[in-house]
Amino acid sequence: MTRSAPALDLDAILDDENTRIVVCCGSGGVGKTTTAAALGLRAAERGRNVVVLTVDPARRLAQSMGLTSLDNTPRPINDIQGSGRLHAMMLDMKRTFDEIIEAHADPERAKQILGNPFYQSLSSSFSGTQEYMAMEKLGQLRRSGEWDLIIVDTPPSRSALDFLDAPERLGRFLDGRLIRILLAPAKAGGRSAFKLLNAGFGLVAGVLTKVLGAQVLKDIQTFVSALDALFGGFRQRAEQTYRLLQAPGTAFVVVAAPERDAMREASYFVDRLAEERMPLAGLVVNRVHRSPAPALSAARSTAAAEDLESRGEHELTAAVLRLHAGRMQLAAREHREQEHFTSAHPTVPISQVPAMSEDVHDLAGLRQIGELLGSR
């Protein structure tokens, strides 16, 4: 028996003043960035004051909104047809990390941290930094009170939900044995206490020096010591943002294409969000193929094409019939993939967006996608 999923009413979510954060997540290549931008534009044109934050390094968001580039500062989008406002930005994890240091350390300590070689490497390429900074930037935007709706376009694939782990991962890092060892001399409280720790620390430091080099170890120690006072505040803010994501004012929208791998990823996202008690709004299935003549089955279309070809008549008509048959077969496969998802998640609302004849590259295209997302 075919299951029918409930319809996802995205307009109701966007129009609800209590909705303050919409998080779009999904695997790569499913139209997630376009969906986030289209939702942002539609919300702005329906009266909301919106900022779209992309963590995806792709440039599609800027191009579709008529900007040459995006950076860590929200940029206004012009030509909005409505009473709202729309801004867009792209996460710069190093600049966000720098801003934390500058805001929460005295000038001398901030200068010491920002100039530290280990910090410069950590803030640019350390595993997990992007997720930490995404959590921090979302919290900054929410605390500013400047926008009544924040739409987050997350990185592709399963890493899109890594920012949910940011507080716990940060805590493990800060409470790790290596960090405690590196901080021990600075926290020893004097020469006599240092002597007590000196033997154990010296043994570890000797091994680390051989592996990392004396200068690298010194840079790490200096960085950790200087940043120690700031770590607690960052962890606290990350945990606050995590709780904010669980709050009723947040809506997670999972984006997928009607293909096997993408729908499996969508199932993973839905399960993970349920596990973390995150408020799921529903699933957007992009690029759904439909036929203008659904009553003509693939089998009948193929049979008619074969009949015309056997008689050597109406070659163009036969070619069109075969194209129609192929489209109907594709639509049937896509429908089966969505049925598999609905069977596993029967209560998850779904919105379908038909496949477009060309890629979205401007506000008019985003507006059209928004209208399709808003229709039920």
Side-chain angles (χ1 to χ4, degrees):
M1 182 178 67
T2 301
R3 291 181 180 269
S4 179
L8 174 57
D9 190 351
L10 284 166
D11 276 351
I13 293 171
L14 298 178
D15 292 344
D16 186 351
E17 293 182 355
N18 293 319
T19 302
R20 305 300 300 272
I21 299 173
V22 173
V23 182
C24 295
C25 52
S27 56
V30 297
K32 179 174 54 61
T33 299
T34 300
T35 299
L39 289 175
L41 177 62
R42 188 164 181 82
E45 295 190 336
R46 295 171 73 88
R48 302 296 297 272
N49 184 13
V50 188
V51 60
V52 178
L53 166 65
T54 182
V55 186
D56 187 345
R59 305 294 176 180
R60 293 186 300 276
L61 181 61
Q63 294 169 352
S64 63
M65 291 184 164
L67 300 174
T68 56
S69 63
L70 289 175
D71 55 23
N72 216 42
T73 302
R75 303 295 178 185
I77 308 301
N78 299 319
D79 302 323
I80 301 301
Q81 300 175 1
S83 58
R85 293 190 298 150
L86 178 61
H87 287 72
M89 63 183 298
M90 183 169 67
L91 179 73
D92 182 334
M93 62 180 182
K94 185 181 187 311
R95 184 59 206 144
T96 301
F97 212 150
D98 290 350
E99 289 172 354
I100 298 171
I101 305 302
E102 293 165 352
H104 298 281
D106 60 77
E108 184 60 33
R109 176 168 288 189
K111 181 179 179 181
Q112 183 183 15
I113 295 172
L114 296 175
N116 185 280
F118 180 72
Y119 167 76
Q120 293 171 359
S121 175
L122 174 78
S123 60
S124 301
S125 58
F126 192 75
S127 176
T129 303
Q130 186 181 54
E131 288 74 32
Y132 301 154
M133 293 306 109
M135 184 74 84
E136 178 71 26
K137 181 55 68 175
L138 174 58
Q140 288 177 7
L141 293 172
R142 184 66 180 86
R143 288 190 297 272
S144 74
E146 190 171 348
W147 294 276
D148 58 36
L149 179 61
I150 303 166
I151 296 182
V152 183
D153 167 38
T154 57
S157 78
R158 294 189 178 188
S159 65
L161 291 179
D162 281 354
F163 67 89
L164 298 180
D165 298 323
E168 181 182 354
R169 291 169 64 191
L170 180 63
R172 288 200 305 266
F173 173 72
L174 299 179
D175 296 333
R177 182 176 299 177
L178 176 60
I179 296 299
R180 293 201 303 270
I181 289 172
L182 293 173
L183 280 173
K187 290 186 171 181
R191 184 179 299 274
S192 58
F194 179 79
K195 287 180 179 179
L196 294 174
L197 293 167
N198 190 54
F201 177 76
L203 179 62
V204 175
V207 175
L208 291 175
T209 300
K210 290 179 180 179
V211 175
L212 302 175
Q215 186 58 48
V216 173
L217 179 60
K218 182 179 179 181
D219 290 340
I220 295 174
Q221 282 183 268
T222 303
F223 164 74
V224 171
S225 178
L227 200 60
D228 178 50
L230 305 180
F231 272 143
F234 180 57
R235 176 161 43 186
Q236 182 182 23
R237 290 192 305 276
E239 290 171 349
Q240 289 172 349
T241 305
Y242 183 86
R243 290 193 294 271
L244 184 65
L245 290 173
Q246 291 179 316
T250 298
F252 280 82
V253 175
V254 177
V255 184
E259 302 161 0
R260 180 169 300 178
D261 290 345
M263 295 302 288
R264 284 177 177 172
E265 287 289 287
S267 290
Y268 166 82
F269 283 121
V270 169
D271 291 339
R272 176 68 196 282
L273 290 169
E275 179 184 334
E276 300 289 339
R277 301 192 307 277
M278 297 291 172
L280 172 67
L283 172 70
V284 169
V285 184
N286 276 325
R287 303 168 188 158
V288 176
H289 290 87
R290 298 171 180 167
S291 171
L296 180 58
S297 69
R300 289 178 58 198
S301 184
T302 300
E306 289 175 348
D307 181 58
L308 290 175
E309 289 167 350
S310 66
R311 290 185 288 162
E313 299 176 355
H314 304 289
E315 293 182 3
L316 181 58
T317 301
V320 171
L321 286 167
R322 287 200 176 276
L323 285 173
H324 173 75
R327 191 177 185 89
M328 291 295 288
Q329 290 167 348
L330 175 60
R333 288 196 300 272
E334 293 178 350
H335 182 70
R336 286 194 296 272
E337 294 301 332
Q338 293 178 74
E339 276 195 330
H340 293 327
F341 176 90
T342 300
S343 295
H345 307 283
T347 62
V348 174
I350 294 179
S351 175
Q352 295 184 343
V353 179
M356 309 293 288
S357 58
E358 59 182 18
D359 290 337
V360 175
H361 54 79
D362 56 18
L363 286 178
L366 289 177
R367 193 171 288 116
Q368 183 179 4
I369 294 294
E371 291 171 357
L372 292 169
L373 287 166
S375 63
R376 299 180 61 189

